[in-house]
Amino acid sequence: MNNKISIRIDGELIPATPGASLLETALAHGKFIPSLCHMKGLSSVGACRLCLVEVAGVNRLLPACTTPVQDGMSVTTQSDKLRRYRKITLELLFAERNHVCAVCVSNSHCDLQSLAQRLGVTSVRYPYTFPKVPVDLTHKKFALDQNRCILCTRCVRVCAEVEGAHVWAVSSRGVGSRLVCELNRAWADSRY
Amino acid sequence: MPAEFLPGDAPQRGALSFEEQDFIDRLIASHQGQPGMLLSLLEEIQERQPHKYLPADYLEYLAARTGIPGAQIYSVATFYALFNLKPQGDHTICICRGTACHTRGSRDLLERMKLQLGLVPEEDDGSADKLSMTTPDRRFTLRTVACFGQCALAPVVEVDHAIHGHVNERALDREVDALRKGGA
Amino acid sequence: MSKAKVATVWLDGCSGCHMSLLDIDELLIDVLRKADIVYGPLVDAQEFPDNVDVTLVEGAVSSQDDLRLVQKIRQRTKLLVSLGDCAVTSNVPSMRNPLQPKVLLQRAYVEGADVNHRPPTDGVPALLRHAVPVHEVVKVDLHVPGCPPKADAIAFVVTELLESRKPDLAGKVKFG
Amino acid sequence: MPRITDLSSFNEAREAGLAKLLPPTPRIAIGMGTCGTGNGAEAVLQSFSDAINQRGLSIALARTGCFGFCAAEPLVNVWLPGKPLVILQRVQPNDTAAILDDLTAGRIPAGLALCRIDEWDHITGHVKYGSGFPEIPLWNEIPFFKGQKKIVLRNCGLIDPTDIEEFLAVGGYQALYKALIDANPASIVESIKAAKLRGRGGAGFQTGSKWEFLSKAKADRKYLICNADEGDPGAYMNRNEIESDPHSLIEGMIIGGYVTGASHGIVYVRAEYPLAVHRLETAIHQAEEWGLLGDNILGRGFNFRLQLIEGAGAFVCGEETALIRSLEGKAGRPTPRPPYPADSGLFGQPTNINNVETWYNVAPIVVKGPAWFTETGSPKSPGTKVFSLVGKVVNTGLVEMPLGTPLKTFVYDVGGGTANDRAVKAVQTGGPSGGCIPQEMFDTPVDYETLAQLGSIMGSGGMVVMDEDNCMVDVARYFIEFTHSESCGKCIPCRVGLDKSLHYLNRITQGKGTEADLATLDELGRMIRDTSLCGLGQTAPNPVLTTMRHFRHEFEDHIRASRCRAGVCEDLALSPCENSCPLHMNIPRFLQLLKEDRLEDAFVSVVMDNPLPASTGRVCQHPCDDRCRRSGIDSAVNMREVHRHIADSIYPSPRFPDLVARLSALRKPSTGLRCAVVGAGPTGLACAFYLRMLGHDVMVYDSNPNAGGMLRYALPDYRLPKEVLDREVELIKLIGVDFTFNTRVPADISLNELDQRYNAVFLAIGTWKENWVYLPGTELTGVIPALPFLESVSKRETVPLGKRVIVIGGGNAAIDSARTALRLGSGVTILYRRERKDMPAIPEETEAAEAEGAKIAFLASPHRIVGSPDGRVTAIEAVKTRLGEYDSSGRRRPIPTDEIVRFNCDTVILAVGETVDIDFAKASGLKISDRGLIEVDRYSLETSRSKFYAGGDLITGASNVSGAMGLGKKAARNIDKRLTGLKRWRDLFPKFEYDQAAPAHPSDSRRHHVRELEAEDRARTFSEATVGLTSVEAMEESCRCLRCDVRTGDH
């Protein structure tokens, strides 16, 4: 079963392993597809929608992170439509919470910020929400500032899938979604 | 997969009585391993409370006994509209905000009830159309539901689990007055 | 060829973007050869003039005064540029936004004050509910984010504009 | 305990059930679905039970489900042995005694009968009730059921849902028996595929294919799930199906389990449906007891367990992966596919999910075969679909129709159109995932593909009818608010995109939107649709995208004119009455001022809003009455008569000069700008008044010798006495408007001259050209058009009128002509080709005409006028019409029959509508619209020629007085804005301080009507036919106002 197959990404023929995702395959061959929720070693959730690509013969956009490669697949990762939608996606994230890059501890080492730069987002067309969101400073070593949270759930998955601790989850729904520690405890009071 | 029971994980807070602990233990036993277990457990715990909510102690105990991570329980309890984390009023007035009810004026009913019960939404309450508010004296809870599926009777209001169809402001006022006078 | 009329404005910001503008160093001489700076913190003009070609706006729109000024500027300017994160995203000034202005003033001027426990009123413009980016209140033609934008980026923008080209900033600037 | 193991035990059970359905005694079965109990069915049942016990009657009493006609609940089925089953409607507890009397006497309570059923095809079985009662219509003869085909609802409302024997009696579990005996699962999968049964939850995927995937999957355990988490607001068919016929669902699922190899079934039901939960639990328990569910089903060695789970309220759980996560004890957030549930679903096992209604189609296909199934419906979408038809239709309820039935059948035939005279505007299908289909597209067949082409979807079958009172921007906002609060929050487009969409829609409904917002909404909507993770997000923008596509003008009204025509968007209206008033009078204010005994302030308030209050106080069509919220308590406040009273109290009084001075003081300083108004009718007078008040010099030109236009020359004196009008015109003259009479435009003064002399020109010429229908005989002497007739009478000219007058038409001009002719001593008959409710005339006027002796022949269309040899009218012949299909106005089209009626007469007055004479405009560079009217910008009323504005009938065709004046007012506002460049309109109006509290309790007073003189007295004279309110009555009317303008709470 480990026969190599090949796919085309933006016209270029690329060898692939059956069962691998489009995103892994592309990244392994130096092809850039933007993504914020994907992280190597974790399950894929298809939440950020930035890795959507066009696949020939499929009339809707598919997330590269959860779409397995198939022999002969022809994939477009860059098109006007995809560029437009990716910019909108990033702008929506910036508008959702309070990302004040200038005073952020992650300034200059932040995936959201660098992706915005790379994709040419220089302003946000949607009105900012300016929500009031919690900041948990109880833990001795860490702080949780949900002003900057984009709900990528990488932390939730690391904690569950790598550590096996299951401390974190996402509570509520919609724009009210917030990261929650156990039964809504202060981080300092958690079991870990 | 349903999480396994971890024997070493004793309840941390002893706020529940033996009777209450026993209730939960039996509840867990009757649903163990079944699909939909957590939903059913939470539904039955809430239904048992006179003020129809999920007390934190119960959730702690439930987490400890089932081994379901607390975060997951909290996530579920806040995701579904049915669950309350705060005690509800003695009387619940639930206004349907379904399409048919909306086109037949349920928003006016909602506004009227807020006025009648003296409920003022806080600024961060989000949208005024989706809410659950309880009066400070805990007599009344006013809430909305997406749809009762009673569209032919629109607008529909449920007062203490009794469905009223073709409701107008006057009829609703009378209903609430009667509850007020009825005590308890 | 007549010189272009350029203005700069300082709304709710720290003036860092103006500092960065000065950091374009010797290029300033080039700029002044091609343009007159007709209004701004760097020149002595009281009233915002008519028929300005380019206005660089620094700072968020936070008060009634900011709002009125930026509306006037829009009417009198051909090309309006949001310079820096405060103008582009409302940045640091927006950190007060989750709170009501009332609460904010109470905290700053009453609870936090040693003397005169009351918010100032005389000659102080009323705060808007939110400090907002410039493009939420008037049309903006170009956004140059950065806190502050790098002098190179500003130099690029100014040079391109004076050559009547629209600068393509993709990849050249970032928030923060 | 009975257990079905073989054919004989099966047959025994069926016999037992049939004996319950058709007992030797009369049987009464009460519809006990949630809609029945919501309408009082419990009390009816109790009442029957008490009375039967008390009287010791031998009558079988049972409960049944719901037969679908929710508007007529509580429904009660009564049956006498050998007779048809009769369904009684709207049965109340106090009806029960009489019903029992009738039944014991072998009769049917005819007054309550809705329909009868002689025999019923349960698809898997058949029941013959009996024959008789020909006077009661058969069930499918009454409009609501006509065209319905009950496959899914085959048992609903006819059997007791809690009694498995009754279900067996009508053929229940027959299909299961067949499936297990035949023991050929693959052939059943093939049947379902051949039947092309598509998922009834909305997406319409082929059920057979899904089953095939699952049957091929290899696993120890496979799951079948029934999605009964019906979350679409506006759809409730699944609730009714489970409540009325739970066993059909169970049977469908067991068959599904058998053919796909699944051993475990789960029904996921909304917790908001307690009765459905209860009935299904009972049914599962019964089926287990009877050996139809559980281990070794029917002794054939097949095991299937069925479990019921209550969903806890999340719309997104309609999405299959979300529902599965929910069953796994997690929040219902969808996960990406692949993996597909058929490979890895619940707890990683192969799983298949189908909607409730899909399962109900299984047994019929198994028993009758795929060919039978595809006979119904359209080729791509065979079968039927249950729709919940709700909203603004008379007949609401559950409707099962073949797929492909056109929308108009639903709205007009089944639904019976709207109850009031409001036109239907749109149908919303598919709930929050669907869209709004406008009335012009009601020919659309309802199936998966066609609805998708229009940007909507079929969804689970919700169908909400909307009329003029529904604002489409609000509808879009409502649905986005819904999906926004139901979004799980996992993916960005749906979570944040809907939040921002809601922000823009809120802004628009508050009147703060911009046209750029529409473009942003459109772009965002497409992005959310194309990039969201699951079906909720992918379809959530549909309501916005479709309403923006089909009702763009409503969005523009909100943005450009801050106007919500339906009066729904509260921020854009002071109160419902103000919003409905073409002049936007501040009605609550003048009522309150009067209540505070400030008559003069009330007068100023009224006149500044409406410069002809005494005239409109008599003749306005009063749209405010229809919107008044007081009508929810008793009846609308009589606002028109109160402002008539206010005007009548001041005009003839000594206070008049003071008030003229007070109004003059409100006039803005002179601008020196000159405006011309062409036409001194109500439109022109309104415009002139405001332009003058704004400080401009105004000259009004009119071809007549006096001002008033239609008010003076078309309205008879008994409706509007000339002296009333004279006083109003005097006021307008006193504030400084100049008039030039007996001057025609363009004959006496050309448009170019006007252009040169004035800074702005407002054209407001009325409709003076009578439509002339071609009828044989219109050339005869004695045939006269209505307007010239009314004008001649107004001018006191003698009009030769015969003894027997026929008036043709149904509008106000027809009624005015009839009443005028009566007063001239003639006998009058009005011919109208439609029905009374279709008449455009004010209903009170029509009633008054009849009281005065006019006769009206409805459904009579003139055919030819008969004349004598000397060319005089002697008679008219009319074709009787019958009402046919609904036309685009939502009225039924009159269709001529063969029957001809003859009316002898000597005069025929034609009042079939009026048009504007715009020949002058064509020659002068003014663009003419397709309708033959002057084209203007909808918002500014500017014509294609600069400086020239137009209003009134010239741009709308014949309309009513207030509507025309509203346009004059709007024109003045826009002309002033253009001339001065300033927004100073609001400054013109004086501010009043008055009480700003809504009355704690509505006043007890009932609506005061004007007093009409006795019909006999008034029919002899042209003096005014009605007497206005007294001061006390006007005061009491004012006190009845609920003050909807007072803002409370969070505004």
Side-chain angles (χ1 to χ4, degrees), chain D residues 708-724:
Chain D
M710 292 284 171
L711 291 174
R712 184 175 299 276
Y713 298 112
L715 282 179
D717 279 23
Y718 65 86
R719 283 184 72 193
L720 176 61
K722 298 282 178 281
E723 57 273 20
V724 172

Short mmCIF file of all heavy atoms in Angstrom, two decimals, chain D residues 708-724:
data_model
loop_
_atom_site.label_atom_id
_atom_site.label_comp_id
_atom_site.label_asym_id
_atom_site.label_seq_id
_atom_site.Cartn_x
_atom_site.Cartn_y
_atom_site.Cartn_z
N GLY D 708 -57.58 73.61 -5.02
CA GLY D 708 -58.12 72.41 -4.39
C GLY D 708 -58.05 71.18 -5.28
O GLY D 708 -58.02 70.06 -4.80
N GLY D 709 -58.03 71.41 -6.60
CA GLY D 709 -57.94 70.28 -7.53
C GLY D 709 -59.06 69.29 -7.31
O GLY D 709 -60.23 69.66 -7.21
N MET D 710 -58.68 68.04 -7.21
CA MET D 710 -59.66 66.96 -7.02
C MET D 710 -60.55 67.20 -5.80
O MET D 710 -61.71 66.83 -5.79
CB MET D 710 -58.91 65.64 -6.79
CG MET D 710 -58.18 65.14 -7.99
SD MET D 710 -59.32 64.43 -9.17
CE MET D 710 -58.21 64.21 -10.53
N LEU D 711 -59.95 67.78 -4.76
CA LEU D 711 -60.74 68.00 -3.54
C LEU D 711 -61.95 68.86 -3.85
O LEU D 711 -63.02 68.71 -3.29
CB LEU D 711 -59.88 68.70 -2.48
CG LEU D 711 -58.73 67.89 -1.86
CD1 LEU D 711 -57.90 68.77 -0.94
CD2 LEU D 711 -59.27 66.69 -1.09
N ARG D 712 -61.73 69.81 -4.77
CA ARG D 712 -62.82 70.74 -5.08
C ARG D 712 -63.70 70.20 -6.21
O ARG D 712 -64.93 70.30 -6.15
CB ARG D 712 -62.25 72.11 -5.48
CG ARG D 712 -63.33 73.17 -5.73
CD ARG D 712 -62.73 74.54 -5.99
NE ARG D 712 -61.95 75.04 -4.86
CZ ARG D 712 -62.47 75.67 -3.81
NH1 ARG D 712 -63.77 75.85 -3.71
NH2 ARG D 712 -61.68 76.09 -2.85
N TYR D 713 -63.07 69.62 -7.21
CA TYR D 713 -63.83 69.32 -8.42
C TYR D 713 -64.21 67.86 -8.58
O TYR D 713 -64.93 67.50 -9.50
CB TYR D 713 -63.06 69.82 -9.64
CG TYR D 713 -62.87 71.32 -9.59
CD1 TYR D 713 -61.61 71.87 -9.42
CD2 TYR D 713 -63.98 72.18 -9.68
CE1 TYR D 713 -61.44 73.25 -9.35
CE2 TYR D 713 -63.82 73.56 -9.59
CZ TYR D 713 -62.55 74.09 -9.43
OH TYR D 713 -62.39 75.43 -9.35
N ALA D 714 -63.68 66.99 -7.75
CA ALA D 714 -64.08 65.58 -7.90
C ALA D 714 -64.77 65.04 -6.67
O ALA D 714 -65.55 64.11 -6.75
CB ALA D 714 -62.86 64.72 -8.22
N LEU D 715 -64.50 65.63 -5.51
CA LEU D 715 -65.15 65.12 -4.32
C LEU D 715 -66.49 65.81 -4.13
O LEU D 715 -66.57 67.03 -4.12
CB LEU D 715 -64.28 65.38 -3.08
CG LEU D 715 -63.10 64.43 -2.88
CD1 LEU D 715 -62.33 64.83 -1.64
CD2 LEU D 715 -63.59 63.00 -2.75
N PRO D 716 -67.53 65.02 -3.98
CA PRO D 716 -68.86 65.62 -3.81
C PRO D 716 -68.95 66.40 -2.49
O PRO D 716 -68.25 66.10 -1.54
CB PRO D 716 -69.79 64.42 -3.79
CG PRO D 716 -69.00 63.25 -4.23
CD PRO D 716 -67.57 63.56 -3.99
N ASP D 717 -69.82 67.36 -2.47
CA ASP D 717 -69.98 68.21 -1.29
C ASP D 717 -70.33 67.45 -0.01
O ASP D 717 -69.94 67.83 1.08
CB ASP D 717 -71.10 69.25 -1.54
CG ASP D 717 -70.56 70.41 -2.34
OD1 ASP D 717 -69.54 70.19 -3.05
OD2 ASP D 717 -71.15 71.51 -2.27
N TYR D 718 -71.10 66.35 -0.18
CA TYR D 718 -71.51 65.66 1.04
C TYR D 718 -70.32 65.01 1.74
O TYR D 718 -70.38 64.68 2.91
CB TYR D 718 -72.60 64.62 0.73
CG TYR D 718 -72.14 63.47 -0.14
CD1 TYR D 718 -71.52 62.36 0.42
CD2 TYR D 718 -72.28 63.52 -1.54
CE1 TYR D 718 -71.06 61.33 -0.37
CE2 TYR D 718 -71.82 62.51 -2.33
CZ TYR D 718 -71.21 61.40 -1.75
OH TYR D 718 -70.74 60.40 -2.55
N ARG D 719 -69.21 64.79 0.99
CA ARG D 719 -68.00 64.26 1.64
C ARG D 719 -67.12 65.39 2.13
O ARG D 719 -66.52 65.29 3.20
CB ARG D 719 -67.19 63.37 0.68
CG ARG D 719 -67.79 61.99 0.51
CD ARG D 719 -66.90 61.11 -0.35
NE ARG D 719 -65.68 60.69 0.32
CZ ARG D 719 -64.66 60.14 -0.31
NH1 ARG D 719 -64.69 59.97 -1.62
NH2 ARG D 719 -63.59 59.77 0.38
N LEU D 720 -66.99 66.44 1.31
CA LEU D 720 -66.13 67.55 1.70
C LEU D 720 -66.81 68.85 1.30
O LEU D 720 -66.75 69.25 0.14
CB LEU D 720 -64.76 67.43 1.02
CG LEU D 720 -63.79 68.58 1.27
CD1 LEU D 720 -63.47 68.70 2.76
CD2 LEU D 720 -62.51 68.38 0.47
N PRO D 721 -67.45 69.52 2.27
CA PRO D 721 -68.11 70.78 1.93
C PRO D 721 -67.09 71.81 1.44
O PRO D 721 -65.98 71.87 1.95
CB PRO D 721 -68.72 71.21 3.27
CG PRO D 721 -68.79 69.98 4.10
CD PRO D 721 -67.65 69.13 3.66
N LYS D 722 -67.50 72.60 0.47
CA LYS D 722 -66.57 73.55 -0.14
C LYS D 722 -66.05 74.57 0.87
O LYS D 722 -64.90 75.01 0.79
CB LYS D 722 -67.26 74.31 -1.29
CG LYS D 722 -67.70 73.41 -2.43
CD LYS D 722 -66.54 73.00 -3.34
CE LYS D 722 -67.03 72.08 -4.44
NZ LYS D 722 -67.23 70.68 -3.97
N GLU D 723 -66.91 74.94 1.86
CA GLU D 723 -66.44 75.99 2.79
C GLU D 723 -65.30 75.47 3.67
O GLU D 723 -64.43 76.24 4.07
CB GLU D 723 -67.58 76.56 3.63
CG GLU D 723 -68.37 75.58 4.48
CD GLU D 723 -69.53 74.94 3.72
OE1 GLU D 723 -69.51 74.95 2.46
OE2 GLU D 723 -70.46 74.41 4.37
N VAL D 724 -65.28 74.16 3.92
CA VAL D 724 -64.17 73.59 4.69
C VAL D 724 -62.88 73.76 3.91
O VAL D 724 -61.87 74.25 4.41
CB VAL D 724 -64.43 72.10 5.00
CG1 VAL D 724 -63.20 71.47 5.64
CG2 VAL D 724 -65.64 71.95 5.90
#
